[in-house]
Short mmCIF file of all heavy atoms in Angstrom, two decimals:
data_model
loop_
_atom_site.label_atom_id
_atom_site.label_comp_id
_atom_site.label_asym_id
_atom_site.label_seq_id
_atom_site.Cartn_x
_atom_site.Cartn_y
_atom_site.Cartn_z
N MET A 1 -6.40 34.14 -28.48
CA MET A 1 -7.40 34.63 -29.40
C MET A 1 -7.78 36.05 -28.98
O MET A 1 -7.79 36.39 -27.81
CB MET A 1 -8.62 33.71 -29.38
CG MET A 1 -9.54 34.04 -30.49
SD MET A 1 -10.78 32.86 -31.07
CE MET A 1 -10.80 31.52 -30.00
N THR A 2 -8.10 36.85 -29.94
CA THR A 2 -8.44 38.24 -29.72
C THR A 2 -9.81 38.36 -29.06
O THR A 2 -10.76 37.68 -29.43
CB THR A 2 -8.47 38.99 -31.06
OG1 THR A 2 -7.21 38.84 -31.70
CG2 THR A 2 -8.75 40.46 -30.87
N ASP A 3 -9.90 39.26 -28.06
CA ASP A 3 -11.18 39.54 -27.42
C ASP A 3 -11.95 40.50 -28.32
O ASP A 3 -11.58 41.68 -28.45
CB ASP A 3 -10.96 40.15 -26.03
CG ASP A 3 -12.26 40.43 -25.30
OD1 ASP A 3 -13.32 39.95 -25.75
OD2 ASP A 3 -12.21 41.13 -24.27
N LEU A 4 -13.00 40.01 -28.95
CA LEU A 4 -13.75 40.82 -29.91
C LEU A 4 -14.46 41.99 -29.26
O LEU A 4 -14.72 42.99 -29.92
CB LEU A 4 -14.76 39.95 -30.65
CG LEU A 4 -14.20 38.86 -31.55
CD1 LEU A 4 -15.33 38.11 -32.23
CD2 LEU A 4 -13.26 39.43 -32.57
N ASN A 5 -14.77 41.89 -27.98
CA ASN A 5 -15.51 42.95 -27.32
C ASN A 5 -14.72 44.25 -27.20
O ASN A 5 -15.31 45.31 -27.02
CB ASN A 5 -15.94 42.49 -25.92
CG ASN A 5 -16.90 41.33 -26.00
OD1 ASN A 5 -17.70 41.24 -26.93
ND2 ASN A 5 -16.81 40.43 -25.05
N THR A 6 -13.41 44.19 -27.32
CA THR A 6 -12.58 45.39 -27.18
C THR A 6 -12.31 46.06 -28.52
O THR A 6 -11.70 47.13 -28.55
CB THR A 6 -11.24 45.04 -26.52
OG1 THR A 6 -10.54 44.12 -27.35
CG2 THR A 6 -11.43 44.44 -25.14
N LEU A 7 -12.78 45.46 -29.62
CA LEU A 7 -12.50 45.99 -30.95
C LEU A 7 -13.70 46.76 -31.49
O LEU A 7 -14.85 46.50 -31.10
CB LEU A 7 -12.17 44.85 -31.91
CG LEU A 7 -10.93 44.03 -31.58
CD1 LEU A 7 -10.83 42.86 -32.54
CD2 LEU A 7 -9.70 44.88 -31.64
N PRO A 8 -13.45 47.67 -32.44
CA PRO A 8 -14.56 48.36 -33.12
C PRO A 8 -15.44 47.35 -33.88
O PRO A 8 -14.99 46.27 -34.26
CB PRO A 8 -13.87 49.30 -34.09
CG PRO A 8 -12.47 49.42 -33.62
CD PRO A 8 -12.15 48.16 -32.88
N ALA A 9 -16.68 47.73 -34.11
CA ALA A 9 -17.66 46.84 -34.74
C ALA A 9 -17.19 46.32 -36.10
O ALA A 9 -17.38 45.14 -36.41
CB ALA A 9 -19.00 47.54 -34.88
N GLU A 10 -16.59 47.19 -36.92
CA GLU A 10 -16.18 46.74 -38.26
C GLU A 10 -15.06 45.71 -38.18
O GLU A 10 -15.02 44.78 -38.97
CB GLU A 10 -15.77 47.91 -39.16
CG GLU A 10 -14.54 48.65 -38.70
CD GLU A 10 -14.81 50.09 -38.33
OE1 GLU A 10 -15.96 50.51 -38.36
OE2 GLU A 10 -13.84 50.77 -38.00
N GLU A 11 -14.15 45.85 -37.22
CA GLU A 11 -13.10 44.86 -37.05
C GLU A 11 -13.67 43.55 -36.53
O GLU A 11 -13.23 42.47 -36.92
CB GLU A 11 -12.01 45.38 -36.12
CG GLU A 11 -11.14 46.44 -36.77
CD GLU A 11 -9.93 46.79 -35.93
OE1 GLU A 11 -9.27 45.86 -35.43
OE2 GLU A 11 -9.67 48.00 -35.78
N GLN A 12 -14.65 43.62 -35.64
CA GLN A 12 -15.31 42.41 -35.13
C GLN A 12 -15.93 41.64 -36.28
O GLN A 12 -15.77 40.42 -36.38
CB GLN A 12 -16.41 42.78 -34.13
CG GLN A 12 -15.90 43.27 -32.80
CD GLN A 12 -17.04 43.64 -31.86
OE1 GLN A 12 -18.21 43.36 -32.15
NE2 GLN A 12 -16.71 44.27 -30.75
N LYS A 13 -16.62 42.35 -37.18
CA LYS A 13 -17.27 41.70 -38.32
C LYS A 13 -16.23 41.08 -39.25
O LYS A 13 -16.44 39.98 -39.77
CB LYS A 13 -18.15 42.68 -39.07
CG LYS A 13 -19.38 43.06 -38.31
CD LYS A 13 -20.25 44.03 -39.08
CE LYS A 13 -21.46 44.42 -38.24
NZ LYS A 13 -22.32 45.37 -38.93
N ALA A 14 -15.11 41.76 -39.46
CA ALA A 14 -14.06 41.23 -40.33
C ALA A 14 -13.47 39.95 -39.73
O ALA A 14 -13.27 38.96 -40.45
CB ALA A 14 -12.97 42.27 -40.53
N ILE A 15 -13.22 39.95 -38.45
CA ILE A 15 -12.66 38.77 -37.79
C ILE A 15 -13.66 37.62 -37.82
O ILE A 15 -13.29 36.47 -38.12
CB ILE A 15 -12.23 39.11 -36.35
CG1 ILE A 15 -11.01 40.02 -36.39
CG2 ILE A 15 -11.93 37.85 -35.55
CD1 ILE A 15 -10.62 40.60 -35.04
N GLU A 16 -14.92 37.91 -37.54
CA GLU A 16 -15.94 36.86 -37.57
C GLU A 16 -16.09 36.28 -38.97
O GLU A 16 -16.26 35.07 -39.14
CB GLU A 16 -17.27 37.41 -37.06
CG GLU A 16 -17.26 37.68 -35.57
CD GLU A 16 -18.47 38.45 -35.09
OE1 GLU A 16 -19.30 38.87 -35.94
OE2 GLU A 16 -18.60 38.63 -33.87
N ALA A 17 -16.02 37.13 -40.01
CA ALA A 17 -16.11 36.66 -41.39
C ALA A 17 -14.93 35.76 -41.73
O ALA A 17 -15.10 34.72 -42.36
CB ALA A 17 -16.18 37.85 -42.34
N ARG A 18 -13.73 36.16 -41.30
CA ARG A 18 -12.54 35.35 -41.56
C ARG A 18 -12.66 34.00 -40.88
O ARG A 18 -12.36 32.96 -41.47
CB ARG A 18 -11.29 36.08 -41.07
CG ARG A 18 -10.01 35.35 -41.42
CD ARG A 18 -8.75 36.04 -40.91
NE ARG A 18 -8.80 37.48 -41.03
CZ ARG A 18 -8.63 38.33 -40.01
NH1 ARG A 18 -8.36 37.89 -38.80
NH2 ARG A 18 -8.68 39.63 -40.20
N ARG A 19 -13.11 34.00 -39.64
CA ARG A 19 -13.25 32.74 -38.90
C ARG A 19 -14.29 31.84 -39.56
O ARG A 19 -14.09 30.63 -39.66
CB ARG A 19 -13.64 33.03 -37.45
CG ARG A 19 -12.51 33.61 -36.65
CD ARG A 19 -12.96 33.94 -35.25
NE ARG A 19 -11.90 34.55 -34.47
CZ ARG A 19 -12.06 35.09 -33.29
NH1 ARG A 19 -13.24 35.08 -32.68
NH2 ARG A 19 -11.04 35.64 -32.65
N ALA A 20 -15.39 32.42 -40.02
CA ALA A 20 -16.43 31.63 -40.67
C ALA A 20 -15.89 31.01 -41.96
O ALA A 20 -16.13 29.83 -42.24
CB ALA A 20 -17.64 32.50 -40.98
N TYR A 21 -15.15 31.80 -42.75
CA TYR A 21 -14.57 31.28 -43.98
C TYR A 21 -13.61 30.14 -43.66
O TYR A 21 -13.63 29.10 -44.33
CB TYR A 21 -13.82 32.39 -44.73
CG TYR A 21 -13.01 31.84 -45.88
CD1 TYR A 21 -13.62 31.52 -47.08
CD2 TYR A 21 -11.64 31.61 -45.74
CE1 TYR A 21 -12.88 31.00 -48.13
CE2 TYR A 21 -10.90 31.09 -46.78
CZ TYR A 21 -11.52 30.78 -47.97
OH TYR A 21 -10.79 30.25 -49.01
N GLN A 22 -12.76 30.32 -42.65
CA GLN A 22 -11.79 29.27 -42.31
C GLN A 22 -12.48 28.00 -41.83
O GLN A 22 -12.04 26.90 -42.17
CB GLN A 22 -10.81 29.79 -41.26
CG GLN A 22 -9.86 30.83 -41.82
CD GLN A 22 -9.00 31.49 -40.76
OE1 GLN A 22 -9.32 31.47 -39.58
NE2 GLN A 22 -7.91 32.10 -41.19
N ARG A 23 -13.56 28.14 -41.06
CA ARG A 23 -14.31 26.94 -40.63
C ARG A 23 -14.88 26.21 -41.83
O ARG A 23 -14.80 24.97 -41.92
CB ARG A 23 -15.45 27.34 -39.69
CG ARG A 23 -15.05 27.53 -38.26
CD ARG A 23 -16.25 27.61 -37.34
NE ARG A 23 -17.14 28.72 -37.66
CZ ARG A 23 -17.00 29.96 -37.21
NH1 ARG A 23 -16.00 30.27 -36.42
NH2 ARG A 23 -17.87 30.89 -37.55
N GLN A 24 -15.44 26.96 -42.78
CA GLN A 24 -16.00 26.34 -43.98
C GLN A 24 -14.91 25.65 -44.80
O GLN A 24 -15.10 24.55 -45.31
CB GLN A 24 -16.72 27.38 -44.85
CG GLN A 24 -17.99 27.89 -44.25
CD GLN A 24 -18.58 29.03 -45.05
OE1 GLN A 24 -17.91 29.66 -45.88
NE2 GLN A 24 -19.85 29.33 -44.80
N TRP A 25 -13.76 26.31 -44.95
CA TRP A 25 -12.67 25.74 -45.72
C TRP A 25 -12.18 24.45 -45.07
O TRP A 25 -11.97 23.44 -45.75
CB TRP A 25 -11.51 26.75 -45.84
CG TRP A 25 -10.46 26.26 -46.79
CD1 TRP A 25 -10.39 26.49 -48.12
CD2 TRP A 25 -9.34 25.42 -46.46
NE1 TRP A 25 -9.29 25.86 -48.65
CE2 TRP A 25 -8.63 25.20 -47.65
CE3 TRP A 25 -8.87 24.84 -45.30
CZ2 TRP A 25 -7.49 24.42 -47.71
CZ3 TRP A 25 -7.73 24.07 -45.34
CH2 TRP A 25 -7.05 23.87 -46.54
N ARG A 26 -11.98 24.47 -43.75
CA ARG A 26 -11.51 23.27 -43.06
C ARG A 26 -12.53 22.13 -43.19
O ARG A 26 -12.14 20.98 -43.35
CB ARG A 26 -11.22 23.57 -41.59
CG ARG A 26 -9.93 24.33 -41.40
CD ARG A 26 -9.53 24.42 -39.94
NE ARG A 26 -10.50 25.13 -39.13
CZ ARG A 26 -10.47 26.43 -38.86
NH1 ARG A 26 -9.51 27.18 -39.34
NH2 ARG A 26 -11.40 26.98 -38.11
N ALA A 27 -13.82 22.46 -43.13
CA ALA A 27 -14.85 21.43 -43.27
C ALA A 27 -14.84 20.82 -44.68
O ALA A 27 -15.05 19.62 -44.84
CB ALA A 27 -16.23 22.00 -42.96
N ALA A 28 -14.55 21.64 -45.67
CA ALA A 28 -14.54 21.17 -47.06
C ALA A 28 -13.23 20.49 -47.44
O ALA A 28 -13.17 19.80 -48.47
CB ALA A 28 -14.81 22.34 -48.00
N ASN A 29 -12.18 20.69 -46.66
CA ASN A 29 -10.85 20.17 -46.99
C ASN A 29 -10.26 19.37 -45.84
O ASN A 29 -9.10 19.57 -45.46
CB ASN A 29 -9.92 21.33 -47.37
CG ASN A 29 -10.35 22.01 -48.63
OD1 ASN A 29 -10.13 21.52 -49.72
ND2 ASN A 29 -10.98 23.16 -48.49
N LYS A 30 -11.05 18.46 -45.31
CA LYS A 30 -10.61 17.67 -44.16
C LYS A 30 -9.32 16.91 -44.44
O LYS A 30 -8.46 16.80 -43.56
CB LYS A 30 -11.70 16.71 -43.72
CG LYS A 30 -12.90 17.38 -43.10
CD LYS A 30 -13.94 16.39 -42.69
CE LYS A 30 -15.22 17.03 -42.25
NZ LYS A 30 -15.21 17.60 -40.95
N ASP A 31 -9.15 16.43 -45.66
CA ASP A 31 -7.94 15.68 -45.99
C ASP A 31 -6.70 16.57 -45.93
O ASP A 31 -5.65 16.15 -45.42
CB ASP A 31 -8.06 15.03 -47.37
CG ASP A 31 -8.38 16.02 -48.48
OD1 ASP A 31 -9.04 17.04 -48.19
OD2 ASP A 31 -8.00 15.77 -49.64
N LYS A 32 -6.80 17.80 -46.41
CA LYS A 32 -5.66 18.72 -46.36
C LYS A 32 -5.32 19.11 -44.92
O LYS A 32 -4.15 19.19 -44.56
CB LYS A 32 -5.96 19.98 -47.17
CG LYS A 32 -6.04 19.72 -48.66
CD LYS A 32 -6.37 20.98 -49.43
CE LYS A 32 -6.51 20.68 -50.91
NZ LYS A 32 -6.86 21.88 -51.66
N VAL A 33 -6.36 19.33 -44.12
CA VAL A 33 -6.14 19.69 -42.71
C VAL A 33 -5.47 18.52 -41.99
O VAL A 33 -4.51 18.71 -41.23
CB VAL A 33 -7.47 20.07 -42.03
CG1 VAL A 33 -7.29 20.26 -40.54
CG2 VAL A 33 -8.06 21.31 -42.67
N ARG A 34 -5.95 17.31 -42.22
CA ARG A 34 -5.39 16.12 -41.58
C ARG A 34 -3.92 15.94 -41.96
O ARG A 34 -3.08 15.66 -41.10
CB ARG A 34 -6.21 14.90 -41.98
CG ARG A 34 -5.90 13.65 -41.21
CD ARG A 34 -6.82 12.50 -41.57
NE ARG A 34 -8.22 12.83 -41.33
CZ ARG A 34 -9.16 12.88 -42.28
NH1 ARG A 34 -8.86 12.60 -43.53
NH2 ARG A 34 -10.40 13.19 -41.97
N GLU A 35 -3.61 16.11 -43.24
CA GLU A 35 -2.23 15.96 -43.71
C GLU A 35 -1.33 17.05 -43.12
O GLU A 35 -0.21 16.77 -42.72
CB GLU A 35 -2.17 16.00 -45.24
CG GLU A 35 -0.79 15.83 -45.81
CD GLU A 35 -0.12 14.52 -45.45
OE1 GLU A 35 -0.81 13.54 -45.10
OE2 GLU A 35 1.13 14.48 -45.51
N HIS A 36 -1.81 18.26 -43.04
CA HIS A 36 -1.04 19.35 -42.45
C HIS A 36 -0.74 19.05 -40.98
O HIS A 36 0.39 19.20 -40.52
CB HIS A 36 -1.79 20.67 -42.56
CG HIS A 36 -1.11 21.80 -41.86
ND1 HIS A 36 -1.34 22.10 -40.54
CD2 HIS A 36 -0.18 22.67 -42.28
CE1 HIS A 36 -0.58 23.11 -40.18
NE2 HIS A 36 0.13 23.49 -41.22
N ASN A 37 -1.75 18.61 -40.24
CA ASN A 37 -1.56 18.28 -38.83
C ASN A 37 -0.57 17.12 -38.66
O ASN A 37 0.25 17.14 -37.75
CB ASN A 37 -2.89 17.95 -38.16
CG ASN A 37 -3.74 19.17 -37.96
OD1 ASN A 37 -3.25 20.30 -37.92
ND2 ASN A 37 -5.04 18.97 -37.86
N ARG A 38 -0.65 16.14 -39.55
CA ARG A 38 0.26 15.01 -39.47
C ARG A 38 1.71 15.46 -39.66
O ARG A 38 2.59 15.12 -38.88
CB ARG A 38 -0.10 13.97 -40.54
CG ARG A 38 0.69 12.67 -40.44
CD ARG A 38 0.42 11.75 -41.62
NE ARG A 38 0.99 12.25 -42.86
CZ ARG A 38 2.29 12.15 -43.19
NH1 ARG A 38 3.12 11.55 -42.40
NH2 ARG A 38 2.73 12.64 -44.33
N ARG A 39 1.95 16.29 -40.68
CA ARG A 39 3.31 16.80 -40.92
C ARG A 39 3.79 17.67 -39.76
O ARG A 39 4.95 17.58 -39.36
CB ARG A 39 3.35 17.62 -42.22
CG ARG A 39 3.34 16.79 -43.48
CD ARG A 39 3.67 17.62 -44.72
NE ARG A 39 2.97 18.89 -44.78
CZ ARG A 39 1.80 19.10 -45.39
NH1 ARG A 39 1.19 18.10 -46.00
NH2 ARG A 39 1.25 20.28 -45.41
N PHE A 40 2.91 18.49 -39.22
CA PHE A 40 3.28 19.36 -38.10
C PHE A 40 3.75 18.54 -36.91
O PHE A 40 4.80 18.82 -36.33
CB PHE A 40 2.07 20.22 -37.69
CG PHE A 40 2.30 21.03 -36.45
CD1 PHE A 40 2.94 22.26 -36.52
CD2 PHE A 40 1.88 20.57 -35.21
CE1 PHE A 40 3.15 23.01 -35.37
CE2 PHE A 40 2.09 21.31 -34.06
CZ PHE A 40 2.73 22.54 -34.14
N TRP A 41 2.98 17.49 -36.55
CA TRP A 41 3.35 16.71 -35.37
C TRP A 41 4.55 15.81 -35.62
O TRP A 41 5.32 15.54 -34.69
CB TRP A 41 2.14 15.93 -34.84
CG TRP A 41 1.18 16.89 -34.20
CD1 TRP A 41 -0.04 17.26 -34.66
CD2 TRP A 41 1.40 17.65 -33.01
NE1 TRP A 41 -0.58 18.20 -33.82
CE2 TRP A 41 0.27 18.45 -32.80
CE3 TRP A 41 2.46 17.73 -32.10
CZ2 TRP A 41 0.17 19.32 -31.71
CZ3 TRP A 41 2.34 18.60 -31.02
CH2 TRP A 41 1.21 19.38 -30.84
N LEU A 42 4.76 15.37 -36.84
CA LEU A 42 5.99 14.64 -37.16
C LEU A 42 7.20 15.55 -36.97
O LEU A 42 8.22 15.15 -36.43
CB LEU A 42 5.95 14.11 -38.59
CG LEU A 42 5.06 12.90 -38.85
CD1 LEU A 42 4.98 12.61 -40.33
CD2 LEU A 42 5.55 11.70 -38.07
N LYS A 43 7.06 16.80 -37.42
CA LYS A 43 8.14 17.77 -37.27
C LYS A 43 8.40 18.05 -35.78
O LYS A 43 9.56 18.10 -35.35
CB LYS A 43 7.76 19.06 -37.99
CG LYS A 43 8.78 20.16 -37.90
CD LYS A 43 8.28 21.41 -38.61
CE LYS A 43 9.19 22.58 -38.34
NZ LYS A 43 8.68 23.82 -38.93
N LYS A 44 7.34 18.23 -34.99
CA LYS A 44 7.50 18.49 -33.55
C LYS A 44 8.17 17.30 -32.86
O LYS A 44 9.02 17.49 -31.99
CB LYS A 44 6.15 18.78 -32.89
CG LYS A 44 5.61 20.14 -33.22
CD LYS A 44 6.52 21.20 -32.64
CE LYS A 44 6.02 22.58 -32.95
NZ LYS A 44 6.93 23.63 -32.48
N ALA A 45 7.79 16.09 -33.21
CA ALA A 45 8.40 14.90 -32.61
C ALA A 45 9.89 14.84 -32.96
O ALA A 45 10.71 14.52 -32.10
CB ALA A 45 7.68 13.64 -33.09
N ALA A 46 10.23 15.17 -34.20
CA ALA A 46 11.63 15.17 -34.60
C ALA A 46 12.41 16.24 -33.84
O ALA A 46 13.55 16.00 -33.42
CB ALA A 46 11.74 15.40 -36.11
N GLU A 47 11.81 17.40 -33.64
CA GLU A 47 12.47 18.46 -32.88
C GLU A 47 12.71 18.04 -31.44
O GLU A 47 13.78 18.29 -30.88
CB GLU A 47 11.63 19.74 -32.90
CG GLU A 47 11.61 20.44 -34.24
CD GLU A 47 10.62 21.59 -34.28
OE1 GLU A 47 9.95 21.88 -33.25
OE2 GLU A 47 10.51 22.22 -35.34
N GLN A 48 11.73 17.38 -30.83
CA GLN A 48 11.88 16.93 -29.46
C GLN A 48 12.98 15.87 -29.37
O GLN A 48 13.79 15.88 -28.44
CB GLN A 48 10.57 16.36 -28.92
CG GLN A 48 9.55 17.41 -28.59
CD GLN A 48 8.28 16.80 -28.02
OE1 GLN A 48 8.07 15.58 -28.09
NE2 GLN A 48 7.43 17.63 -27.46
N GLN A 49 12.99 14.96 -30.32
CA GLN A 49 14.02 13.91 -30.33
C GLN A 49 15.40 14.54 -30.47
O GLN A 49 16.34 14.15 -29.80
CB GLN A 49 13.75 12.93 -31.47
CG GLN A 49 14.67 11.74 -31.47
CD GLN A 49 14.47 10.84 -30.27
OE1 GLN A 49 13.39 10.79 -29.69
NE2 GLN A 49 15.51 10.16 -29.88
N GLU A 50 15.51 15.52 -31.33
CA GLU A 50 16.78 16.22 -31.54
C GLU A 50 17.21 16.94 -30.26
O GLU A 50 18.38 16.93 -29.90
CB GLU A 50 16.65 17.21 -32.70
CG GLU A 50 17.93 17.89 -33.08
CD GLU A 50 17.73 18.79 -34.28
OE1 GLU A 50 17.19 18.32 -35.29
OE2 GLU A 50 18.11 19.97 -34.19
N GLY A 51 16.25 17.54 -29.57
CA GLY A 51 16.54 18.21 -28.32
C GLY A 51 17.04 17.25 -27.26
O GLY A 51 17.96 17.55 -26.50
N ARG A 52 16.46 16.07 -27.20
CA ARG A 52 16.90 15.05 -26.24
C ARG A 52 18.32 14.59 -26.55
O ARG A 52 19.13 14.39 -25.66
CB ARG A 52 15.96 13.86 -26.26
CG ARG A 52 14.63 14.12 -25.62
CD ARG A 52 13.82 12.85 -25.49
NE ARG A 52 12.45 13.19 -25.20
CZ ARG A 52 11.41 12.84 -25.92
NH1 ARG A 52 11.57 12.08 -26.99
NH2 ARG A 52 10.19 13.20 -25.59
N GLN A 53 18.62 14.42 -27.83
CA GLN A 53 19.95 13.98 -28.23
C GLN A 53 20.99 15.04 -27.90
O GLN A 53 22.09 14.72 -27.48
CB GLN A 53 19.98 13.65 -29.72
CG GLN A 53 19.20 12.39 -30.07
CD GLN A 53 19.13 12.14 -31.56
OE1 GLN A 53 19.57 12.96 -32.36
NE2 GLN A 53 18.57 11.01 -31.94
N ASN A 54 20.64 16.31 -28.08
CA ASN A 54 21.58 17.39 -27.76
C ASN A 54 21.82 17.48 -26.27
O ASN A 54 22.93 17.82 -25.82
CB ASN A 54 21.07 18.73 -28.29
CG ASN A 54 21.13 18.80 -29.81
OD1 ASN A 54 21.86 18.06 -30.44
ND2 ASN A 54 20.36 19.70 -30.38
N ASN A 55 20.80 17.21 -25.44
CA ASN A 55 20.95 17.25 -24.00
C ASN A 55 21.81 16.10 -23.47
O ASN A 55 22.49 16.24 -22.47
CB ASN A 55 19.59 17.23 -23.30
CG ASN A 55 18.85 18.54 -23.49
OD1 ASN A 55 19.45 19.57 -23.76
ND2 ASN A 55 17.54 18.50 -23.36
N GLU A 56 21.75 14.96 -24.16
CA GLU A 56 22.53 13.80 -23.74
C GLU A 56 24.00 13.95 -24.08
O GLU A 56 24.86 13.42 -23.41
CB GLU A 56 21.98 12.53 -24.39
CG GLU A 56 20.60 12.16 -23.89
CD GLU A 56 19.99 11.00 -24.67
OE1 GLU A 56 20.65 10.51 -25.62
OE2 GLU A 56 18.89 10.59 -24.34
N ALA A 57 24.29 14.69 -25.13
CA ALA A 57 25.68 14.83 -25.61
C ALA A 57 26.49 15.79 -24.78
O ALA A 57 26.16 16.47 -23.93
CB ALA A 57 25.69 15.29 -27.06
#
């Protein structure tokens, strides 16, 4: 994550506004966030399984 203390004030405000919007969106769309996380971890598990199979061959 970016250290806000090293950025100019206007960039700090822009980043904070973006983060606030994203927090609000995630809170309002818990089902979408949950489904995205589920697909992400299914994909990661499949990648790991594929990696294990390639190492065994």
